[in-house]
Amino acid sequence: MKCFVYILISKKDSNFYVGMTKNLELRLKSHLEGKAESTKNRRPLYLTGYEVYFNKYDAAAREKFLKSSDGRKEIRIRFKVELARHSPGKLLGNKFE
């Protein structure tokens, strides 16, 4: 079964959120409608990117890495243009200020 690791950015607080799911469309809908506890107060949200894995173990390992400091650095480098597009500020850490 496919698993997705996804990255959202909050227009409200300029932080990004990393998650994992088996159904990306349904999970994204949950985030956008404010039904996901983790992001309900951080809307509006934008899907910045996602990766597909064919087992949950690889997806969970990738999610864990992306939530680490090295993973956050990778996100900032990989999605620099996309992150800047959704926030007018200057990129610092995992925030724009």
Side-chain angles (χ1 to χ4, degrees), residues 4-61:
F4 300 87
V5 175
Y6 60 94
I7 302 166
L8 304 174
I9 186 167
S10 166
K11 185 74 170 181
K12 181 177 180 180
D13 65 14
S14 301
N15 283 312
F16 42 85
Y17 173 83
V18 177
M20 182 182 89
T21 186
K22 290 180 181 177
N23 186 332
L24 184 59
E25 187 176 331
L26 186 63
R27 185 63 176 153
L28 201 54
K29 184 178 178 187
S30 174
H31 282 294
L32 297 177
E33 292 176 351
K35 295 178 181 175
E37 244 347 273
S38 54
T39 58
K40 73 177 183 181
N41 295 318
R42 298 171 63 194
R43 296 179 302 143
L45 301 161
Y46 300 92
L47 179 64
T48 302
Y50 66 91
E51 299 171 348
V52 181
Y53 293 88
F54 293 100
N55 66 66
K56 65 181 180 181
Y57 305 106
D58 290 341

